[in-house]
Amino acid sequence: FDLNIPVEIVRCQTLREFDGLAMSSRNVFLNEGERAQAVILFKALEQAEGWITEPGMTAPELKKRLNAFIGQAPLAEIDYAELLEYPDLSEPGADMELKNYPHALIIALAVKFGKTRLIDNRIVEPYGGA
């Protein structure tokens, strides 16, 4: 928005490796140990989608859980684990229960394994929208 350049976000499915890791040219820079631990990103997205449906779950609690879950991988250095409204990328209300949130949400992750920074995300619609 700073440069006043019109941007359109086009939603599409993430292509994934056999183990769930998002396909990326960066994956070749992971050594065997880093590659094995990097699948925690996909697993975290899967977990987070379930956590969102729990009664009383809020954005701060979800981010706390994401950080703890990804932190189980010793080689993971978390840059960010965010939950934002989709598509405007605004922050959801901190006290608002996510289970029936009225907007689509995006779970966005950026994590370094060694010198390789990987990103992944998932869009969820807690309210059951399309």
Side-chain angles (χ1 to χ4, degrees), residues 41-125:
L41 300 181
F42 176 69
K43 292 176 181 178
L45 293 172
E46 294 277 296
Q47 285 289 329
E49 192 166 4
W51 291 331
I52 283 175
T53 65
E54 291 181 8
M57 181 59 64
T58 61
E61 178 61 25
L62 184 76
K63 289 197 267 187
K64 180 179 165 186
R65 286 193 189 185
L66 278 168
N67 279 284
F69 188 85
I70 296 167
Q72 294 176 55
L75 300 176
E77 182 182 324
I78 301 168
D79 186 2
Y80 62 78
E82 289 293 333
L83 181 70
L84 302 166
E85 285 189 16
Y86 177 86
D88 68 359
L89 306 180
S90 61
E91 293 208 24
D95 296 332
M96 193 167 207
E97 186 175 20
L98 298 176
K99 186 170 90 169
N100 297 311
Y101 202 77
H103 305 286
L105 298 165
I106 184 168
I107 305 160
L109 308 174
V111 181
K112 284 180 75 175
F113 293 88
K115 294 181 180 182
T116 308
R117 184 175 182 263
L118 301 177
I119 60 172
D120 207 342
N121 67 78
R122 177 170 294 181
I123 296 171
V124 294
E125 285 126 356

Side-chain angles (χ1 to χ4, degrees), residues 15-23 39 42 120:
L15 297 176
R16 298 193 175 276
E17 303 283 350
F18 68 95
D19 56 3
L21 186 64
M23 287 188 173
V39 298
F42 176 69
D120 207 342

